[in-house]
């Protein structure tokens, strides 16, 4: 399907319960209500506009620029036309226990003719609602109902029915101000009243700015770090503490390809790394909320720990395909749910244990429940540590002995031993044995003498960008010749336009097609350069990666260095947490 809006042309707005993507043209093309993992009512992102969107923009040619209002993810778009200038401010208010999208239109100079088009399709663009126009709170409102879902649109210039869509055209002159509010609610409730648009948007901005003011970071790339932590905060469910990987599903890693996955869930690994990024810039607010989420999510039999959960800790992530959606740019299939939830990935517990160790270091001591949970999980890992797994990248081929996974298991047992040495109860004898055995194994079987580098897994001589994490994990020093040889191999085999692929798609992942350089892996290479004392190379690569953000500072999962186009789900927590961690590593190296 041609003419898909470039992924990098979207901006994110959200209320920390769900999020929307707004195109440069003023069209909201993706919105799941009321939660991140709810079905979308605007799904044009994965099809076309008949699958649901809400556009407010000039009727003719315009030059459009965008920015986030200071300290927030409230989006301001300025449209300049031959006849005048208008701004549209888009926000999803926070803290009001509602699910609203507020759009404020203000005339700046002259006169601009705007068009509004609203197409609502519940159920991921499949279910058309019943519309009716009625009166509520002494004003006209437009109501759309289908089953349990209701949208209520109130405000100025309400659109009118035009076939299978609702449209309106109106002029905005200098000094004029129009407001529209779209609210989701259960269909059996009384119609929601006005949200108090101006006040609630101002409150949303001030609350966000106050939170950001707590950031304690004085190093380079400050603006990029600030935007990234705001993105990470927006992807954290305010009620549950679940941290999602991205607010979208099925944005392809390869144009027209099949590498299309649902990322609207909480991976234990990704969430742990997000907490690490927040701790790196001293934003420790609500990390206890994440730990409590973790305890709830994995409560029960340690054998049943999964690698990912829903934002509320739920475990139903059955993967299925939506045949009625053609996919972004024709990239099918569109998937909801994620089959990787059932995989065994040994690295996950290591990342969780490393983060919990960092929380102890800042004074967030383990509760009785949290330590006993960790102890049970480590004892469970001790029963199958000798088995292969699917690895960090969720390979859908045969399980392997991935070097990164083996190193992360070493880290898990090492963290457990350290916790007992620091006063937690338990007998570390078995963990010490396994820790030492895993270290020996990684440094022998994980290292390829013939190439002078660590290897992706024990049955190959290929390298993998996850090996760049070995010094951060702590199993090898960044200046160790074996690790320096690994950097060199990655530079030789994985760099595309100076940015690393995750790995070469030679069949181990069980999928057809290719992918673009992975943004997080670029930041891992920055960190590796900084740790190895190659600061000039670290800053050069960091400059390139930061420049690849879109006009409002967002990053997808992957980028094409030749075209600058973004690929994969967007915006991606992995990419933004990587930016924060890389900036702080450079700052540390600069301080010496």
């Amino acid at each position: 399907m041609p003419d898909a809006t470039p992924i990098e042309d979207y901006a994110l707005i959200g209320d920390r319960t769900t999020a929307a993507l707004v195109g440069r043209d003023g069209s909201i093309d993706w919105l799941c209500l009321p939660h991140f993992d709810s079905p979308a009512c605007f799904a044009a992102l994965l099809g076309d506009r008949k699958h649901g969107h809400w556009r407010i923009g000039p009727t003719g040619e315009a030059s459009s620029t965008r920015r986030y209002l200071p300290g927030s993810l409230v989006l301001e778009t300025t449209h300049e036309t031959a006849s005048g200038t208008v701004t549209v401010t888009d926000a999803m208010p926070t803290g009001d226990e509602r699910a609203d999208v507020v759009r404020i239109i203000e005339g700046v100079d002259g006169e601009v003719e705007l068009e509004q088009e609203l197409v609502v399709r519940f159920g991921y663009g499949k279910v058309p609602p019943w519309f009716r126009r009625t009166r509520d709170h002494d004003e006209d409102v437009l109501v759309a109902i289908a089953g349990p879902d209701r949208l209520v649109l109130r405000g100025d210039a309400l659109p009118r029915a035009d076939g299978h869509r609702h449209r309106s055209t109106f002029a905005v002159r200098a000094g004029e101000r129009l407001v529209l509010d779209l609210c989701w609610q259960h269909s059996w409730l009384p119609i929601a009243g006005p949200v108090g648009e101006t006040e609630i948007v101002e409150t949303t901005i001030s609350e966000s700015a106050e939170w950001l003011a707590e950031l304690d970071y004085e190093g380079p790339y400050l603006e990029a770090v600030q935007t990234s932590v705001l993105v990470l905060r927006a992807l954290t469910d305010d009620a549950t503490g679940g941290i999602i990987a991205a607010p979208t599903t099925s944005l392809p890693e390869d144009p027209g390809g099949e590498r299309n996955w649902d990322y609207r869930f909480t991976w234990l690994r990704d969430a742990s790394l997000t907490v690490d990024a927040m701790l790196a810039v001293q934003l420790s607010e609500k990390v206890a909320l994440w730990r409590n989420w973790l305890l709830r999510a994995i409560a029960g039999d340690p054998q049943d720990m999964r690698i990912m959960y829903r934002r509320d800790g739920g475990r139903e992530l059955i993967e299925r395909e939506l045949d009625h959606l053609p996919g972004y740019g024709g990239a099918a299939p569109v998937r909801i749910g994620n089959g990787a939830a059932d995989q065994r990935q040994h690295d996950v517990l290591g990342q969780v244990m490393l983060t919990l160790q960092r929380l102890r270091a800042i004074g967030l001591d383990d509760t009785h429940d949290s330590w006993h949970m960790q102890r049970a999980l480590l004892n469970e890992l001790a029963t199958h540590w000798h088995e292969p797994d699917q690895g960090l990248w969720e390979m859908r081929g045969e399980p392997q002995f991935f070097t990164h996974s083996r190193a992360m298991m070493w880290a898990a047992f090492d963290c457990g031993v350290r916790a007992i040495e620091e006063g937690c109860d338990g007998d570390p004898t078995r963990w010490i044995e396994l820790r030492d055995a895993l270290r020996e194994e990684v440094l022998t079987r994980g290292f390829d003498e013939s190439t002078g580098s660590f290897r992706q897994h024990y049955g190959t001589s290929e390298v993998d960008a996850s090996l760049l994490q070995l010094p951060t994990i702590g199993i090898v020093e960044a200046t160790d010749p074996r690790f320096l040889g690994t950097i060199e191999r990655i530079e030789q085999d994985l760099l595309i336009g100076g940015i690393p692929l995750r790995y070469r798609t030679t069949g181990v992942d069980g999928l057809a097609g290719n992918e673009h350089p992975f943004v997080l892996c670029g930041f891992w290479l920055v960190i590796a350069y900084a740790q190895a004392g190659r600061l000039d190379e670290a800053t050069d690569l960091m400059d390139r990666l930061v420049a690849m953000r879109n006009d409002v500072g967002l990053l997808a999962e992957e980028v094409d260095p030749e075209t600058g186009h973004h690929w994969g789900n967007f915006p991606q927590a992995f990419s933004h947490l990587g930016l924060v961690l890389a900036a702080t590593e450079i700052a540390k190296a600069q301080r010496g």
Side-chain angles (χ1 to χ4, degrees), residues 31-34 39-42 52-54 92 98-101 118-123 127 129-134 141-154 181-189 191-192:
L31 175 61
C32 300
L33 288 171
C41 62
F42 298 149
H53 78 119
W54 183 20
M92 296 188 70
R98 290 175 47 140
D100 291 80
V101 178
L118 176 68
V119 179
V120 177
R121 292 292 183 272
F122 293 111
V127 181
W130 178 263
F131 275 96
R132 66 185 175 92
R133 205 177 185 98
T134 188
V141 297
L142 187 62
V143 179
I145 294 178
D149 298 300
R150 175 165 65 204
L151 288 177
V152 179
L153 178 62
R154 65 174 68 244
D181 170 45
L182 184 71
C183 177
W184 176 92
Q185 58 180 159
H186 289 298
S187 57
W188 55 84
L189 297 176
I191 290 177

Side-chain angles (χ1 to χ4, degrees), residues 558-585:
E558 299 177 4
V559 295
D560 182 342
E562 293 186 4
T563 65
H565 288 318
H566 290 209
W567 295 99
N569 285 306
F570 175 87
Q572 173 74 237
F574 250 180
S575 300
H576 286 280
L577 69 86
L579 187 154
V580 175
L581 293 171
T584 56
E585 195 67 42

Side-chain angles (χ1 to χ4, degrees), residues 194-209:
V195 72
E197 296 86 355
T198 300
E199 295 79 7
I200 196 67
V201 170
E202 290 176 353
T203 299
T204 297
I205 294 170
S206 63
E207 187 262 343
S208 176

Side-chain angles (χ1 to χ4, degrees), residues 64-112:
S64 301
T65 57
R66 307 179 296 181
R67 66 171 184 141
Y68 283 125
L69 296 182
S72 78
L73 294 184
V74 172
L75 181 69
E76 180 188 80
T77 303
T78 300
H79 301 291
E80 295 186 21
T81 72
S83 60
T85 303
V86 67
T87 64
V88 180
T89 300
D90 292 318
M92 296 188 70
T94 57
D96 60 352
E97 299 184 356
R98 290 175 47 140
D100 291 80
V101 178
V102 174
R103 314 194 78 174
I104 300 173
I105 306 157
E106 297 176 281
V108 177
D109 60 53
E111 178 179 309
V112 179

Side-chain angles (χ1 to χ4, degrees), residues 29-63:
D29 289 346
W30 182 254
L31 175 61
C32 300
L33 288 171
H35 301 298
F36 291 112
D37 52 3
S38 299
C41 62
F42 298 149
L45 179 72
L46 300 178
D48 57 40
R49 292 189 168 176
K50 70 175 180 285
H51 295 109
H53 78 119
W54 183 20
R55 178 180 182 267
I56 299 175
T59 57
E61 292 187 6
S63 173

Side-chain angles (χ1 to χ4, degrees), residues 221 496-499 523 538-549 555 561-562:
Y221 312 103
I496 302 292
I499 303 171
F523 290 122
T539 54
D540 286 347
L541 179 54
M542 186 72 174
D543 289 344
R544 292 194 60 209
L545 290 165
V546 169
M548 288 181 175
R549 301 179 304 151
L555 285 164
E562 293 186 4

